[in-house]
Amino acid sequence: MSAVKKDPKGIVFNIQRYSVHDGPGIRTVVFLSGCPLSCRWCSNPESQLIHPQLAYNRNKCLTFDQCNRCMEVCTAGAIQTDEENRARINRGTCTKCMLCAEVCPSVALKVYGEEKTVAEVITAVERDGAFYSRSGGGLTLSGGEPMHQTQFAIAILKEARRRRIHTAMETCGFCDTEDLIAAGKYLNFLLFDIKVMDPQIHKMVTGVSNQLILNNFKAVREAWPELPILVRTPVIPDVNDSREAIRAILDFITDFDKISYEMLPYHRLGTPKYEYIGNTYQLGKAKLDESVMAELMAMLNDEYGHLIPVNKKSA
Ligand code: SF4
Ligand code: SF4
């Protein structure tokens, strides 16, 4: 692992306050840009690249009848009018200067990702400190993949712990093993995604093999045996929405200590963002049948009930 710089900066694409889904209690989730995976169902496509990205929501454009500020500032000639007299971005000629986003009055143009220091992140997190102490919550690092900006992520966790803020991190597990173990030193809670056990399917739907991920899961469990780990699986139609696929994950984790498990049903909330950043959503009109999810939940309850987090157990 490389040395941690004194005051590292990194790219943050969102800071979400009052989250109750990303670790214990009420939390502020800090989303870091950059991810080594490209999951077909990704609901945060704006998180995949490590550098800031220009986003354009055509529906918010005021039309060139009322405004042409973006075209005026774009020296690259990357902005034209479309058939409804709204802006059209030519991403092939765009130089990513981001000036258009600065002048757009309707926020049709905006930038995903902003450089921040550790101090700026911690200041944002500490705004809600009173809620944390009452609820048992704190800071959760998410992404993207937080370990993709290793020095920045570890520096945030270290400073948060120094200030007695409860720390959690959501990881896809695809990162340097030593870095993940180093981060574990400053963690109170770890959320670890295991998407599918079959290595070929994993590579097909995420772009990478799961071997490093599974090895890292074992390594972090071994290095930090007291660290509570919540394994999470996004249940995706035609990828892992079968008893066999979920059972393979449960059988892998069931013998480790201090592990709990949660399934996250597939949703499509992130699909408009693909168009905003000029990408195409790869899962088309995929839909997760409610009865399939119910069947998987029943199996989890009946056969692996000890893995269900205490606060999620049915009465
Ligand atoms: S500056 Fe914004 S509102 Fe104005 S034309 Fe460009 S995209 Fe539309
Ligand atoms: S970010 Fe791209 S489209 Fe916007 S002003 Fe700069 S070059 Fe033009």
Side-chain angles (χ1 to χ4, degrees):
M1 187 195 148
S2 50
V4 176
K5 285 185 193 154
K6 200 160 181 229
D7 186 21
K9 294 176 181 172
I11 307 296
V12 175
F13 77 87
N14 194 12
I15 295 182
Q16 184 183 323
R17 300 163 68 200
Y18 302 108
S19 170
V20 292
H21 301 294
D22 301 286
I26 302 171
R27 313 190 69 82
T28 292
V29 186
V30 178
F31 294 86
L32 306 191
S33 297
C35 185
L37 273 59
S38 46
C39 302
R40 291 183 178 181
W41 56 87
C42 180
S43 57
N44 289 327
E46 76 279 27
S47 74
Q48 291 182 345
L49 300 181
I50 201 162
H51 55 72
Q53 291 184 79
L54 180 66
Y56 171 55
N57 181 347
R58 184 178 174 278
N59 294 328
K60 286 189 177 174
C61 175
L62 301 173
T63 77
F64 282 96
D65 298 332
Q66 299 187 50
C67 167
N68 67 347
R69 291 187 187 181
C70 56
M71 193 182 260
E72 280 180 352
V73 298
C74 182
T75 54
I79 296 181
Q80 287 115 31
T81 55
D82 71 7
E83 60 284 356
E84 288 181 1
N85 214 18
R86 298 172 200 252
R88 171 183 285 139
I89 315 295
N90 183 339
R91 291 182 183 271
T93 48
C94 170
T95 59
K96 303 182 176 65
C97 70
M98 308 301 184
L99 287 175
C100 54
E102 280 178 30
V103 299
C104 177
S106 66
V107 203
L109 286 155
K110 64 184 267 191
V111 179
Y112 286 128
E114 187 185 352
E115 187 176 76
K116 288 193 183 295
T117 63
V118 172
E120 286 170 328
V121 170
I122 295 291
T123 300
V125 171
E126 284 193 325
R127 283 176 64 185
D128 303 310
F131 289 99
Y132 302 162
S133 49
R134 273 182 238 144
S135 72
L139 156 74
T140 297
L141 276 191
S142 184
E145 167 51 53
M147 295 308 295
H148 208 56
Q149 299 189 57
T150 310
Q151 291 191 358
F152 186 49
I154 292 178
I156 293 170
L157 293 172
K158 188 175 180 182
E159 182 60 16
R161 282 291 287 267
R162 197 179 72 78
R163 296 181 188 225
R164 300 181 188 281
I165 298 171
H166 184 281
T167 56
M169 182 170 79
E170 295 182 347
T171 182
C172 71
F174 193 87
C175 57
D176 182 90
T177 307
E178 279 185 40
D179 288 344
L180 183 60
I181 290 173
K185 181 176 180 187
Y186 306 108
L187 283 172
N188 296 113
F189 194 85
L190 181 62
L191 301 107
F192 197 113
D193 271 18
I194 298 183
K195 298 167 173 72
V196 65
M197 292 300 287
D198 184 303
Q200 284 173 338
I201 296 177
H202 196 281
K203 181 147 196 220
M204 190 172 70
V205 297
T206 71
V208 303
S209 162
N210 59 1
Q211 191 177 349
L212 176 64
I213 294 169
L214 300 179
N215 288 346
N216 278 346
F217 178 79
K218 291 180 193 165
V220 76
R221 173 69 302 157
E222 198 173 304
W224 302 105
E226 296 304 317
L227 176 66
I229 301 178
L230 174 62
V231 176
R232 301 204 295 189
T233 301
V235 180
I236 310 300
D238 298 326
V239 172
N240 61 2
D241 60 338
S242 69
R243 292 169 70 95
E244 296 71 27
I246 299 299
R247 191 190 293 283
I249 296 170
L250 291 164
D251 285 344
F252 172 71
I253 65 173
T254 194
D255 290 332
F256 293 96
D257 291 330
K258 287 204 175 285
I259 301 290
S260 53
Y261 181 76
E262 189 175 26
M263 287 183 282
L264 306 172
Y266 170 73
H267 65 78
R268 304 174 56 85
L269 297 178
T271 51
K273 291 186 282 188
Y274 281 81
E275 191 184 332
Y276 300 164
I277 60 173
N279 284 351
T280 305
Y281 186 58
Q282 292 184 50
L283 284 195
K285 297 200 182 307
K287 189 169 176 293
L288 181 66
D289 199 305
E290 276 181 27
S291 65
V292 171
M293 197 65 205
E295 190 187 330
L296 296 175
M297 285 302 295
M299 181 182 79
L300 175 63
N301 270 300
D302 294 347
E303 301 177 40
Y304 302 87
H306 62 288
L307 292 173
I308 300 174
V310 176
N311 61 348
K312 299 279 169 76
K313 281 191 195 287
S314 45

